[in-house]
Amino acid sequence: MQIETPSKKSISFEDFKTEVLKDYKTAVTSRECSLLGRREVLTGKAKFGIFGDGKEIPQLALAKAFKNGDFRSGYYRDQTFMMAIGALSIENFFAGLYADSSIENEPMSAGRQMGGHFGTHSLNEDGSWKNLMLQKNSSADTSPTASQMPRLLGLAQASKIYRNVDGIHAEKFSDNGNEIAWGTIGNASTSEGHFWETINAAGVLQVPMVISVWDDEYGISVHARHQTTKENISEILKGFQRDEENKGYEIIVVNGWDYAALIEAYEKAAEIARGSHAPVLIHVRELTQPQGHSTSGSQERYKNEDRLAWEREFDCNVKFREWVIQNNFSTQEELEIIDQEIKKQVRDGKKAAWIAYTQPMVKKQKELLPLLENAAESSGKKDTILSLKNELAEIKDPIKKEILIAARKSLHYLIGSQSDAKRQLIDWIDAYTSESQSEFSSNLYSESNHNALSIKEVKPTYSNDARGVDARIILRDNFDKIFETYPESLIFGEDTGKIGDVNQGLEGLQNKYGSHRVADTGIREATILGQGIGMAMRGLRPIAEIQYLDYILYALQTMSDDLATLQYRTKGKQKSPLIVRTRGHRLEGIWHSGSPMGALVHLLHGIHILVPRNMTKAAGFYNTLLKGDEPALVIECLNGYRLKEKLPNNFGEFRTPIGVVETIKEGTDITLVSYGSTLRLVEEAARDLEEVGIHAEIIDVQSLLPLDINKDIVKSIEKTNRLLVIDEDVPGGASAYILQNILEVQNAYLHLDSKPQTLTAKEHRPSYGTDGDYFSKPSAEDIFEKIYGIMNESDPEKYSALK
Ligand SMILES: Cc1ncc(C[n+]2csc(CCOP(=O)(O)OP(=O)(O)O)c2C)c(N)n1
Ligand SMILES: [Mg+2]
């Protein structure tokens, strides 16, 4: 018998039945994992649990419409979806709960993220791309509510680029842009600005993005009446609905317990998004939380009995079960047998995951016990070590921390003793610590052969008659070469397209490369970042432009939580080699002169932060970054575009090395360390100092993250024995960060004859106007006087007091 499925496909009843029962099994498996998962937390085997119970059925429908090459960007409720696409086994689920640090057991994040944070592997062992068209892809989740939204926009936009730009090697990433980026978000999280910014941007860009709102009326304890105008997200989004005249969204509303209606809704959404690249919003209503929000707290505190009774009745799994029976796909008795089988499978899977997680540590425990016993013999506190040993022996399933505490504490009682047993114990501790540390600390940056630090310097070359030009020309001609060389590269931002950026570093390039590759965007920094992150995760080489450094704060959450953590939180299984281009430091007034480099350095470990002193250096950084596979932030000097620089003749080829400092003036009396726009003033001060017999050495750090990987600064201090770090950040900002590195990492204190110092801007934001700048930021006179003061203090006879 042929029947029509909810998605209007005509298939045999038996085939449809098989599909329905498969879905039933996934729903029951997922639920059983949630129930047992909660118990694992309550009994102390796991620390925290957040589960997908009550959201199972819509995720089955989503999985049906999801094709190879598609991407998900979602949140912690999506375990059923992950199971349905075959990316999350029962064992994986529990390994995540236990924080198993093995990537094989816990492929989502190797235990780095709490359970419920999902992702698939985009990269091979060597960091190269897998063929993403042969798998169903999920970008790695992050915990901040709505932080998945900016990235979702970029994942969707990648399809648009692949469909509309010729010449890109797309085989691993796209089939003519037919891939959908599927978002999921909780109803309460739609209150966040990121949600609204993304919704608007995707409507403008018309990208294949389907966003599902899982609506259970609550955000932890807070009801929709405190979250959403009219308590109804699809109702208030109605103005986005597309019609005959205007492009916009398709908005679909469906109940989360209605299996047949859900399948129909998702098929329709997929057809629209894949075909016409119109975005779709699916508001999935009437969902529940059978076990409440998470393992912390109980929902009885904020839901009344009526609500709880309704949730029991409308539990999507309960309703699906009724539907299966009513439509004769199975009987009560058959389903009970299936339920029992699945309960057993989940219990067995849970046990297997626990054994896989604990066994390596039990092995280490066994290894350590005799080492402790032997070492105890040579200690005056033998009994104390033996009791540490016995305490460890009694722990049934010890974790690394417990094992290392026993071992390391024992060393306290072996101080002064010399024995082979002690040596063996130390070696064992060192080996286990270093192996374990790497499990928790690796992959903050790329560890592939294309990591940015391995890209070697190539110097700019000049013809004999090279002229001096406005520096922005160098950027422009270099970008031209970049777009010609890399068909997958593109740039976008506010005023980036038609006028070629506010300083004309891209002049004429939109005409040459088209409006998909050199594009204007709305004023929306967080989603400009998100566009970049998502597109770079799908094999493109985006350059996201943030008009001024002062406005990067709007994008900072996305940079810090998403881009900077991506490699780390996936243990190197996903990457987003996005280049963020901006301009900053000195110009005029509070919001066009900021240089909050300390703040950025602190929040952006995981992203390279580059501070070129001129546009040739900046262009060289872009060339380096495009050879590599890592994200970076490049800050051009806002007051440098009209200064003259010599025109190189090897555009696209010269490369500024990352993490390498440059000595730009040699000297013997004091080492001056600086970067960016301040350097010109440092150079001016150094010229004046020469006239009074002080020979300063100037070092441009060029790159704040990483900083001076070759430890060159200390070599200069060995010669000068004095140090001043100068920048235009607040006191204690990036200058303090640089100082810490020089003193602590490079041990420069061994060579200092004077107090190492910093000279920075004032604590307040820079005031407007030339005098505002003079009294807010370090001037050449400030720098001169500071250095002279240091020299005067060290040799008052030679350098008599200035005042
Ligand atoms: C930026 C941010 N603020 C607060 C939280 C804490 N938090 C985690 S989940 C949550 C509620 C989210 O509710 P909803 O979006 O409706 O999703 P649900 O859990 O109901 O599926 C909150 C406030 C967070 N993770 N991130
Ligand atoms: Mg909710």
mmCIF file of all heavy atoms in Angstrom, residues 658-679:
data_model
loop_
_atom_site.group_PDB
_atom_site.id
_atom_site.type_symbol
_atom_site.label_atom_id
_atom_site.label_comp_id
_atom_site.label_asym_id
_atom_site.label_seq_id
_atom_site.Cartn_x
_atom_site.Cartn_y
_atom_site.Cartn_z
ATOM 1 N N ILE A 658 54.568 36.845 12.475
ATOM 2 C CA ILE A 658 53.720 37.007 13.657
ATOM 3 C C ILE A 658 54.490 36.614 14.917
ATOM 4 O O ILE A 658 55.149 35.572 14.953
ATOM 5 C CB ILE A 658 52.433 36.181 13.485
ATOM 6 C CG1 ILE A 658 51.589 36.865 12.402
ATOM 7 C CG2 ILE A 658 51.652 36.058 14.796
ATOM 8 C CD1 ILE A 658 50.364 36.136 11.999
ATOM 9 N N GLY A 659 54.430 37.485 15.918
ATOM 10 C CA GLY A 659 55.103 37.182 17.192
ATOM 11 C C GLY A 659 56.566 37.568 17.201
ATOM 12 O O GLY A 659 57.287 37.236 18.141
ATOM 13 N N VAL A 660 57.003 38.266 16.142
ATOM 14 C CA VAL A 660 58.430 38.623 16.047
ATOM 15 C C VAL A 660 58.577 40.141 16.184
ATOM 16 O O VAL A 660 57.921 40.897 15.468
ATOM 17 C CB VAL A 660 59.019 38.163 14.691
ATOM 18 C CG1 VAL A 660 60.489 38.529 14.597
ATOM 19 C CG2 VAL A 660 58.818 36.663 14.525
ATOM 20 N N VAL A 661 59.438 40.582 17.086
ATOM 21 C CA VAL A 661 59.617 42.018 17.285
ATOM 22 C C VAL A 661 60.636 42.544 16.282
ATOM 23 O O VAL A 661 61.389 41.770 15.687
ATOM 24 C CB VAL A 661 60.103 42.336 18.727
ATOM 25 C CG1 VAL A 661 59.182 41.712 19.761
ATOM 26 C CG2 VAL A 661 61.544 41.859 18.952
ATOM 27 N N GLU A 662 60.647 43.866 16.129
ATOM 28 C CA GLU A 662 61.626 44.459 15.214
ATOM 29 C C GLU A 662 62.315 45.628 15.916
ATOM 30 O O GLU A 662 61.658 46.501 16.481
ATOM 31 C CB GLU A 662 60.915 44.957 13.960
ATOM 32 C CG GLU A 662 61.894 45.433 12.911
ATOM 33 C CD GLU A 662 61.200 45.896 11.622
ATOM 34 O OE1 GLU A 662 60.088 45.439 11.334
ATOM 35 O OE2 GLU A 662 61.800 46.735 10.937
ATOM 36 N N THR A 663 63.643 45.634 15.850
ATOM 37 C CA THR A 663 64.386 46.766 16.408
ATOM 38 C C THR A 663 64.423 47.838 15.338
ATOM 39 O O THR A 663 65.019 47.631 14.277
ATOM 40 C CB THR A 663 65.816 46.318 16.780
ATOM 41 O OG1 THR A 663 65.695 45.241 17.697
ATOM 42 C CG2 THR A 663 66.591 47.459 17.429
ATOM 43 N N ILE A 664 63.802 48.970 15.619
ATOM 44 C CA ILE A 664 63.753 49.983 14.549
ATOM 45 C C ILE A 664 64.772 51.096 14.771
ATOM 46 O O ILE A 664 64.989 51.918 13.913
ATOM 47 C CB ILE A 664 62.334 50.556 14.341
ATOM 48 C CG1 ILE A 664 61.756 51.127 15.632
ATOM 49 C CG2 ILE A 664 61.416 49.503 13.774
ATOM 50 C CD1 ILE A 664 60.414 51.807 15.412
ATOM 51 N N LYS A 665 65.409 51.129 15.936
ATOM 52 C CA LYS A 665 66.563 52.025 16.125
ATOM 53 C C LYS A 665 67.473 51.377 17.154
ATOM 54 O O LYS A 665 66.997 50.889 18.179
ATOM 55 C CB LYS A 665 66.101 53.390 16.631
ATOM 56 C CG LYS A 665 67.244 54.333 16.968
ATOM 57 C CD LYS A 665 66.746 55.640 17.563
ATOM 58 C CE LYS A 665 67.873 56.539 18.036
ATOM 59 N NZ LYS A 665 68.791 55.956 19.034
ATOM 60 N N GLU A 666 68.752 51.383 16.859
ATOM 61 C CA GLU A 666 69.676 50.785 17.813
ATOM 62 C C GLU A 666 70.169 51.834 18.795
ATOM 63 O O GLU A 666 70.221 53.021 18.472
ATOM 64 C CB GLU A 666 70.854 50.172 17.068
ATOM 65 C CG GLU A 666 70.376 49.121 16.087
ATOM 66 C CD GLU A 666 71.334 47.965 15.946
ATOM 67 O OE1 GLU A 666 72.487 48.089 16.377
ATOM 68 O OE2 GLU A 666 70.912 46.930 15.411
ATOM 69 N N GLY A 667 70.502 51.411 19.988
ATOM 70 C CA GLY A 667 70.982 52.335 20.999
ATOM 71 C C GLY A 667 71.570 51.554 22.156
ATOM 72 O O GLY A 667 71.457 50.318 22.215
ATOM 73 N N THR A 668 72.215 52.267 23.088
ATOM 74 C CA THR A 668 72.930 51.561 24.146
ATOM 75 C C THR A 668 72.459 51.917 25.555
ATOM 76 O O THR A 668 72.799 51.239 26.512
ATOM 77 C CB THR A 668 74.435 51.919 24.073
ATOM 78 O OG1 THR A 668 74.530 53.354 23.938
ATOM 79 C CG2 THR A 668 75.107 51.246 22.906
ATOM 80 N N ASP A 669 71.657 52.978 25.690
ATOM 81 C CA ASP A 669 71.371 53.478 27.036
ATOM 82 C C ASP A 669 70.073 52.959 27.643
ATOM 83 O O ASP A 669 69.963 52.796 28.848
ATOM 84 C CB ASP A 669 71.315 55.015 27.011
ATOM 85 C CG ASP A 669 72.681 55.586 26.678
ATOM 86 O OD1 ASP A 669 73.685 54.964 27.088
ATOM 87 O OD2 ASP A 669 72.739 56.631 25.994
ATOM 88 N N ILE A 670 69.061 52.751 26.840
ATOM 89 C CA ILE A 670 67.755 52.322 27.367
ATOM 90 C C ILE A 670 66.975 51.639 26.253
ATOM 91 O O ILE A 670 67.112 52.008 25.069
ATOM 92 C CB ILE A 670 66.969 53.535 27.930
ATOM 93 C CG1 ILE A 670 65.644 53.084 28.576
ATOM 94 C CG2 ILE A 670 66.703 54.595 26.856
ATOM 95 C CD1 ILE A 670 64.979 54.140 29.451
ATOM 96 N N THR A 671 66.188 50.634 26.615
ATOM 97 C CA THR A 671 65.349 49.950 25.628
ATOM 98 C C THR A 671 63.933 50.502 25.728
ATOM 99 O O THR A 671 63.337 50.496 26.801
ATOM 100 C CB THR A 671 65.343 48.423 25.898
ATOM 101 O OG1 THR A 671 66.683 47.946 25.810
ATOM 102 C CG2 THR A 671 64.455 47.693 24.910
ATOM 103 N N LEU A 672 63.427 50.979 24.597
ATOM 104 C CA LEU A 672 62.063 51.499 24.549
ATOM 105 C C LEU A 672 61.206 50.490 23.790
ATOM 106 O O LEU A 672 61.523 50.149 22.647
ATOM 107 C CB LEU A 672 62.028 52.843 23.839
ATOM 108 C CG LEU A 672 63.011 53.916 24.354
ATOM 109 C CD1 LEU A 672 62.908 55.174 23.507
ATOM 110 C CD2 LEU A 672 62.742 54.222 25.819
ATOM 111 N N VAL A 673 60.145 50.024 24.420
ATOM 112 C CA VAL A 673 59.290 49.028 23.773
ATOM 113 C C VAL A 673 57.929 49.657 23.527
ATOM 114 O O VAL A 673 57.326 50.213 24.453
ATOM 115 C CB VAL A 673 59.152 47.773 24.661
ATOM 116 C CG1 VAL A 673 58.197 46.771 24.033
ATOM 117 C CG2 VAL A 673 60.511 47.140 24.904
ATOM 118 N N SER A 674 57.464 49.581 22.282
ATOM 119 C CA SER A 674 56.178 50.204 21.969
ATOM 120 C C SER A 674 55.560 49.535 20.747
ATOM 121 O O SER A 674 56.070 48.508 20.265
ATOM 122 C CB SER A 674 56.376 51.704 21.744
ATOM 123 O OG SER A 674 55.134 52.360 21.670
ATOM 124 N N TYR A 675 54.455 50.120 20.244
ATOM 125 C CA TYR A 675 53.790 49.563 19.058
ATOM 126 C C TYR A 675 52.810 50.593 18.508
ATOM 127 O O TYR A 675 52.453 51.560 19.179
ATOM 128 C CB TYR A 675 53.034 48.267 19.400
ATOM 129 C CG TYR A 675 52.012 48.452 20.508
ATOM 130 C CD1 TYR A 675 50.713 48.879 20.235
ATOM 131 C CD2 TYR A 675 52.357 48.221 21.829
ATOM 132 C CE1 TYR A 675 49.789 49.055 21.248
ATOM 133 C CE2 TYR A 675 51.436 48.402 22.851
ATOM 134 C CZ TYR A 675 50.158 48.821 22.557
ATOM 135 O OH TYR A 675 49.243 49.017 23.562
ATOM 136 N N GLY A 676 52.367 50.350 17.292
ATOM 137 C CA GLY A 676 51.290 51.150 16.698
ATOM 138 C C GLY A 676 51.646 52.620 16.541
ATOM 139 O O GLY A 676 52.803 52.994 16.321
ATOM 140 N N SER A 677 50.632 53.476 16.674
ATOM 141 C CA SER A 677 50.813 54.913 16.410
ATOM 142 C C SER A 677 51.804 55.567 17.352
ATOM 143 O O SER A 677 52.448 56.559 16.990
ATOM 144 C CB SER A 677 49.472 55.635 16.561
ATOM 145 O OG SER A 677 48.559 55.170 15.616
ATOM 146 N N THR A 678 51.912 55.059 18.574
ATOM 147 C CA THR A 678 52.809 55.674 19.559
ATOM 148 C C THR A 678 54.256 55.654 19.083
ATOM 149 O O THR A 678 55.057 56.500 19.479
ATOM 150 C CB THR A 678 52.714 54.906 20.897
ATOM 151 O OG1 THR A 678 51.331 54.690 21.175
ATOM 152 C CG2 THR A 678 53.339 55.676 22.036
ATOM 153 N N LEU A 679 54.576 54.682 18.246
ATOM 154 C CA LEU A 679 55.972 54.524 17.841
ATOM 155 C C LEU A 679 56.542 55.764 17.169
ATOM 156 O O LEU A 679 57.712 56.083 17.343
ATOM 157 C CB LEU A 679 56.108 53.334 16.888
ATOM 158 C CG LEU A 679 56.437 52.011 17.574
ATOM 159 C CD1 LEU A 679 56.319 50.877 16.582
ATOM 160 C CD2 LEU A 679 57.838 52.038 18.174
#
